[in-house]
Amino acid sequence: MIKPFHVVRIQIDTSGQGKPDVIFEALTIKQANLIEQKRRVAQNGIRKESETVETTKIQYQVTTKELIVYALTSLGGLGGVVVLFTIWSQVDEMLPKNLKSSFEDFFNHQSVTGLCILFVLTVIVGVFIGFFRIFNRYFNFKIEHQNNHLDISRGFLAHKTMQLKLNRIQTIQLRQTMLRRLVRLVSVNVLLSASQDEKDAQTVLIPVASIDKIMTTLKKVLTSIDFDVDHWQVSNIDKAAWYQVRFSVLRNIFIMTLVICFVMFYFPSMLQRSYMLLFFIIMMVITAILILKNTLTITEQKLGFNQELVYIQRSNGFSKEGYYIRRDKIQGVRESGFITVFRKKALRLDVIVRDGNGHHIIHLRYVPQSTVNHFKQWMNTGL
C-alpha cells in the first residue's frame, strides 16, 4: 500500500507462470476491495456478489519483542555496511575534485584509533539500517484464516497483504541461523507451487517464533496438517560423523597441497617462515571450522514420518533446517552411494520437492540402506 496516496499495488499470480500474470501498479482501495470480493465469489462459488466471507480470528501475530530479537540476529547489519560502502563509491566518483581531496586529506591524517572509531561508527549505522529494513518488513505481521486460504499482512512504511491458498503449499521449512540457535528462535518459510515476485522469492509464513512454541503455532496456523511425527528412523550409520569429517579434512589437505605447490613454483619468495607459519595457522583454523561444521551435518540429521507427513532435518553450514512434506507433494527420491562406504550399506538420500517452477533438493548423507528402503515403502504404501 502506498499510504500517503491511498492507493495499492496488486499482483495476481497463478501456478502456471514464473511471474505474476497481472500487475496493477496503482489502484484505489475501493477498486482493490472490489477485485478481492469478486475473486472470493468466484473461488467459493457464491453467486451473490454482495455476500461477504466471514474472517476468523487472528491465527498468528508477531510480537514486537520477538521481532526486535529477530532483527538483531539477522546479520542484516553486514548488508547495511555493504550498502553504505556501495553508496560511498558511487558518490565518491561524482564529488568535485576539491571536495574529494578534502576527504582524502581527512582520512590520510587520521590515526589508527581514529580510523577504528570511524569503522565502528560505520558498522553501527549499517546495523541500524539492517535492523530497520527487517523491522519495516515484518512489522505487525499477522495471519488470518479465510476459508481455504490465509491472509498474510505485514509492513510499517509500506503495508502488504497476500492471499495464500493452502493447496499451493509444497513444503514447510523451519530454519535457524547460527545466532538464532543461541536465542532459541526459528523462522518458517513455505515453498509454493508457483514462483513469486522476484523481490519476494521465498514466502515467509512465520518470521519468528520461540523454538519451544513453534509446534503449537504451526498447528494453530495450518490446522489441516498433522505435525505429530512419531515414527522415527535411524538417520545415519555408525561412525558417519567420522567418515564425513575424514572426507572433508582429506579434501582440505589436498587443496592445501595444491596451494603450496603453486606458491613454490610461481611465488617462491613467499616461502619464508613467517608467511608459512601464518598460512598453517589459517589452515588449522579452517580445518577446525570444517570439523565442527561436518560433525553438525551428521549429528543433526533426522528422519521421521506419520501417516501423511515426513519430517527431514539437516544442517546447512551452521544453520539448521527442518522440512515437513506431505507424501503427495514429494516429486522424487534419488539415492547414490560412495564405494568407500559401500560395505557399510550407507547411501546418500536426496528428496526432491517443487519450489516455484523449479525444484528444491534436500540432501541426507550416510543414510542406512534399511532406512532408505523403509522411506520408499512409506512413499508407495504408507505406514
Side-chain angles (χ1 to χ4, degrees), residues 15-46:
S15 61
Q17 299 292 330
K19 294 183 179 180
D21 296 281
V22 180
I23 299 178
F24 298 101
E25 293 293 345
L27 291 178
T28 64
I29 297 178
K30 183 178 180 180
Q31 292 171 327
N33 289 336
L34 180 60
I35 292 175
E36 174 61 14
Q37 184 184 24
K38 289 183 178 296
R39 185 192 68 82
R40 291 178 180 175
V41 168
Q43 180 178 336
N44 295 280
I46 301 175

Side-chain angles (χ1 to χ4, degrees), residues 14-16 167-170 191-195 354-357:
T14 65
S15 61
N167 60 7
R168 289 183 57 196
I169 296 177
Q170 303 295 303
L191 307 183
L192 303 177
S193 59
S195 299
R354 185 174 179 182
D355 182 14
N357 286 329

Side-chain angles (χ1 to χ4, degrees), residues 96-369:
K97 291 184 177 181
N98 56 348
L99 188 59
K100 186 176 180 179
S101 60
S102 300
F103 277 111
E104 291 177 353
D105 292 338
F106 172 77
F107 285 108
N108 291 333
H109 288 84
Q110 291 296 316
S111 62
V112 176
T113 303
L115 292 176
C116 291
I117 292 175
L118 289 175
F119 177 77
V120 171
L121 291 176
T122 303
V123 172
I124 292 175
V125 174
V127 170
F128 177 78
I129 293 174
F131 175 87
F132 181 76
R133 288 177 60 191
I134 291 181
F135 190 85
N136 175 58
R137 180 183 302 169
Y138 297 117
F139 177 79
N140 199 27
F141 188 104
K142 60 183 179 181
I143 299 176
E144 297 177 348
H145 271 292
Q146 192 71 270
N147 287 348
N148 62 347
H149 70 268
L150 302 175
D151 284 343
I152 303 175
S153 59
R154 61 179 174 88
F156 180 61
L157 296 180
H159 186 76
K160 295 184 178 181
T161 303
M162 174 184 178
Q163 285 81 36
L164 175 62
K165 293 187 67 174
L166 294 175
N167 60 7
R168 289 183 57 196
I169 296 177
Q170 303 295 303
T171 304
I172 301 167
Q173 180 196 58
L174 281 63
R175 193 166 191 274
Q176 284 183 290
T177 61
M178 181 175 62
L179 290 179
R180 291 184 189 131
R181 294 176 70 172
L182 298 177
V183 294
R184 298 185 60 79
L185 293 179
V186 62
S187 58
V188 181
N189 305 315
V190 288
L191 307 183
L192 303 177
S193 59
S195 299
Q196 300 299 295
D197 189 355
E198 293 180 357
K199 296 180 181 179
D200 295 317
Q202 194 174 47
T203 299
V204 177
L205 185 66
I206 300 174
V208 55
S210 170
I211 189 64
D212 301 322
K213 300 178 180 178
I214 189 59
M215 295 306 302
T216 304
T217 305
L218 279 174
K219 292 177 181 178
K220 190 176 180 181
V221 173
L222 301 171
T223 55
S224 60
I225 300 178
D226 179 16
F227 290 97
D228 293 325
V229 175
D230 52 9
H231 194 82
W232 295 97
Q233 290 290 301
V234 178
S235 60
N236 53 267
I237 63 173
D238 293 336
K239 299 182 180 180
W242 159 244
Y243 296 138
Q244 179 67 25
V245 169
R246 181 181 64 180
F247 173 77
S248 180
V249 171
L250 290 176
R251 181 178 58 184
N252 196 35
I253 292 175
F254 176 74
I255 295 174
M256 182 174 61
T257 303
L258 289 180
V259 172
I260 292 176
C261 293
F262 179 82
V263 171
M264 288 177 60
F265 280 100
Y266 294 98
F267 303 98
S269 59
M270 295 185 63
L271 295 177
Q272 301 177 12
R273 175 176 292 184
S274 57
Y275 287 120
M276 294 301 296
L277 180 61
L278 178 62
F279 175 77
F280 280 108
I281 291 175
I282 293 174
M283 293 307 300
M284 291 298 293
V285 172
I286 293 175
T287 301
I289 294 174
L290 287 175
I291 291 174
L292 178 59
K293 172 182 174 294
N294 286 280
T295 302
L296 290 176
T297 298
I298 298 301
T299 56
E300 292 187 336
Q301 276 191 181
K302 285 186 178 181
L303 177 64
F305 40 82
N306 56 26
Q307 189 65 36
E308 299 180 354
L309 196 75
V310 63
Y311 175 74
I312 300 174
Q313 180 177 291
R314 63 183 295 270
S315 289
N316 184 12
F318 290 100
S319 298
K320 185 165 67 174
E321 298 175 348
Y323 296 86
Y324 285 101
I325 317 168
R326 285 180 52 182
R327 181 168 48 198
D328 57 341
K329 300 296 184 181
I330 297 176
Q331 302 297 311
V333 175
R334 183 171 60 202
E335 55 184 277
S336 58
F338 293 97
I339 192 172
T340 53
V341 290
F342 182 75
R343 294 181 180 178
K344 303 292 183 179
K345 296 184 179 180
L347 297 173
R348 170 171 171 162
L349 180 65
D350 296 337
V351 180
I352 305 170
V353 294
R354 185 174 179 182
D355 182 14
N357 286 329
H359 64 275
H360 181 84
I361 302 177
I362 306 167
H363 306 285
L364 292 179
R365 303 177 182 179
Y366 300 102
V367 183
Q369 176 73 63

Side-chain angles (χ1 to χ4, degrees), residues 60-78:
Y60 166 78
Q61 186 168 11
V62 65
T63 65
T64 303
K65 179 181 178 181
E66 289 176 333
L67 184 56
I68 290 175
V69 177
Y70 177 84
L72 290 175
T73 56
S74 66
L75 294 179
L78 299 179

